[in-house]
Amino acid sequence: MTTRTLRGKVAVVGVGETPYYKHGQSPEPEFKLALQAILAACADAGIDPRRIDGFASYSNDRNDPSRIAAALGLPALRFSNMNWGGGGGGGSAAMGNAAAAVACGMANCVVVFRALAQGQFQRFGAAPPGGTASGEPAFNAPYGVMSPAQRYAMRAMRFLHENRIAPSAQRAIALASYHHAQANPRAVMHGRPLTAEAYDASRWIVEPWRLFDCCQENDGAAALIVVPADEARDFKHKPAYLLASAQGSEHRNGARVHNAPLYATSSFTSVAPQLYEMAGLKPKDVDVVQSYENFTGGVLMSLVEHGFFTAEEANDFLTPENLQAPSGKLPLNTSGGNLAECYMHGLELQIEAVRQVRGQSTAQVPKADVSMVISGPMVTPVSSMILGSEATL
C-alpha cells in the first residue's frame, strides 16, 4: 500500500513581501499589498505571474482569489482555499493545504499569502468593537476578558505557575528575537536593540506579559510559491522542500470559555506528534525554529510541546545564548519574528524558514537542512510545518 504523505512532494521556490508598516499606516490598501507580495514572490522565483493557478490563505483573509486572479491576468484559477480560524494558527496549515493541492494535481503553482491593512479594517490587537457579543465573547466580555493578551494570559499563567518557570525564560525569547532583528534591515525593530534591563523595566500589559513579550501590530503582505518537487530545480533559488505539515487541535479544544480539559497548553499536544511522524524526524534533527509569538509564553509552551525540552528544563534551556544564531542550541526566530521583524500574521516566519534552507538569512544557521515553523500557539486550530533541503529527501 502506498503511504499517504506530503513528505518531499512539493517545494517552495519563491518568497515575497512588502515593506512592513506600523498598524494603520500602510499607504496602500490591503488588496494592493497582497498583489505586491505575490509579484515579489514571482520575481524571486523568476516566473511569469500568469503561471499561478491557485491560492491559499488563512484567518479570514479578505482578498478574494478570484479577484486576485483577475488582477494578475491568470488564464484560469484551479484552486482556492481558506483555513478556518481567526488567529495565526493557520499559517503552516495554509502551506499544507497548498501542498496537498499541488501533490494531488488539483493545481500546479499555488501561492500562499496573507495581507493586512488595519487602517482599512479593525485593529487586530484591540477588543472587537460593537455593542453585542456572541459565542466565546459572550462568556468572556462581561468579565473584561476581550483583547488577545487578556484571553491567553490565563492559560500561560497556569503553565508557568504549575511548572515553576521563571520570568527569565520569557525574557530570553524576547531578547533573542530583538538580537536577530538587529542584523535584519527588513525588521521594523532594526536599529532598536533590547536589553534585559529595558525588558524588565517595561510596563505590564497583562500578567505574565510585559510590553516586549507581546507581538507587534503591522500592515503589509507576504507570499510564498509552492510547486511540485520534480519541477523545483528549474527555478532561480535552491528549493525548500516540505517535509511535513500538520494542523488541528486537542480534545475539546474548541471549548474556548476557559474550560477546555487541557487548559494550560498551546494546543499542540496532538499536532506535534503528527508533524514528526510525517517528517520522519525527531526534535533533535531540527536545526532552526521560527515559532509564532503572539506572546512569549505561547512560544515557550509550543517549544515544550514540540519536544525541544521539558517544562522542568525550561529555566535552564531558555537563555539568550541558547536561542541565538549561529551557535545556539536552538536558534529561534532568526529574522526577529513577530516581536521584532514584523507581525504579518506569522507568514513572515515561513519566509524566514525558506531563507534558512537557502542559506540567505541575515542570521544564518550553518548547514540549516531542517527548518521548522510553529504557527499560532493557544488559538484553534493550530499548525506546524517542517522544510528541508535536498539533502533531507
Side-chain angles (χ1 to χ4, degrees):
M1 185 176 71
T2 301
T3 301
R4 294 182 298 157
T5 182
L6 290 174
R7 191 187 198 283
K9 300 291 179 63
V10 307
V12 179
V13 296
V15 297
E17 57 198 337
T18 67
Y20 296 122
Y21 309 94
K22 187 175 180 180
H23 68 86
Q25 295 185 6
S26 169
E28 308 288 359
E30 195 173 81
F31 183 72
K32 187 173 181 179
L33 292 172
L35 292 175
Q36 289 175 343
I38 293 166
L39 291 173
C42 290
D44 181 69
I47 64 169
D48 187 316
R50 286 177 285 270
R51 184 167 174 174
I52 297 166
D53 60 0
F55 297 96
S57 191
Y58 59 100
S59 190
N60 309 317
D61 191 288
R62 288 172 284 260
N63 300 286
D64 186 324
S66 293
R67 186 182 175 204
I68 295 175
L72 294 175
L74 304 191
L77 178 64
R78 299 175 60 199
F79 177 78
S80 60
N81 176 272
M82 174 69 69
N83 195 77
W84 276 306
S92 294
M95 290 289 295
N97 294 341
V102 171
C104 74
M106 293 178 67
N108 202 60
C109 184
V110 177
V111 169
V112 178
F113 73 95
R114 185 76 178 99
L116 285 174
Q118 296 174 72
Q120 281 183 276
F121 305 102
Q122 178 194 335
R123 180 181 168 189
F124 249 44
T132 61
S134 60
E136 181 186 353
F139 288 89
N140 293 339
Y143 301 96
V145 179
M146 293 181 285
S147 73
Q150 291 171 321
R151 289 167 57 198
Y152 300 124
M154 289 186 284
R155 294 180 68 180
M157 195 69 160
R158 170 82 69 84
F159 185 88
L160 298 174
H161 172 75
E162 289 182 343
N163 295 289
R164 299 182 180 180
I165 296 174
S168 60
Q170 294 188 115
R171 182 202 300 134
I173 293 168
L175 291 176
S177 291
Y178 272 79
H179 172 80
H180 292 137
Q182 304 320 303
N184 178 7
R186 300 181 308 274
V188 175
M189 293 299 175
H190 180 70
R192 299 173 65 181
L194 177 66
T195 65
E197 293 75 18
Y199 171 95
D200 289 342
S202 66
R203 68 183 185 273
W204 288 107
I205 302 301
V206 53
E207 198 173 0
W209 295 321
R210 296 183 179 274
L211 175 65
F212 294 109
D213 290 304
C214 303
C215 68
Q216 297 183 73
E217 295 184 78
N218 300 109
D219 292 350
L224 302 94
I225 296 175
V226 178
V227 303
D230 58 9
E231 299 177 10
R233 293 182 182 177
D234 300 335
F235 296 82
K236 283 174 59 176
H237 298 290
K238 177 181 177 181
Y241 296 92
L242 186 71
L243 302 182
S245 176
Q247 58 179 289
S249 59
E250 302 155 332
H251 170 62
R252 289 192 64 232
N253 192 253
R256 304 304 293 169
V257 293
H258 295 280
N259 67 351
L262 296 177
Y263 183 67
T265 80
S266 60
S267 306
F268 285 102
T269 59
S270 59
V271 173
Q274 301 170 28
L275 183 77
Y276 288 122
E277 181 180 7
M278 180 181 290
L281 299 171
K282 298 183 182 301
K284 66 179 178 59
D285 300 316
V286 176
D287 298 310
V288 59
V289 176
Q290 316 300 328
S291 182
Y292 186 105
E293 317 114 309
N294 37 19
F295 310 100
T296 54
V299 178
L300 192 160
M301 297 160 75
S302 298
L303 294 176
V304 169
E305 288 164 29
H306 282 81
F308 292 109
F309 50 87
T310 66
E312 292 75 19
E313 296 167 334
N315 288 330
D316 293 330
F317 190 98
L318 290 174
T319 66
E321 295 74 22
N322 280 346
L323 302 180
Q324 291 175 6
S327 57
K329 291 181 180 178
L330 187 69
L332 176 72
N333 295 345
T334 49
S335 66
N338 289 348
L339 294 185
E341 182 184 28
C342 72
Y343 180 76
M344 200 31 53
H345 220 172
L347 202 61
E348 84 286 351
L349 300 174
Q350 271 80 355
I351 290 178
E352 177 63 10
V354 172
R355 289 194 174 112
Q356 283 288 350
V357 172
R358 289 180 176 181
Q360 296 178 338
S361 173
T362 53
Q364 184 62 45
V365 174
K367 206 175 184 300
D369 287 318
V370 179
S371 185
M372 178 185 285
V373 181
I374 302 172
S375 297
M378 296 185 287
V379 304
T380 184
V382 292
S383 59
S384 302
M385 58 178 272
I386 299 177
L387 295 174
S389 68
E390 190 170 0
T392 63
L393 299 180

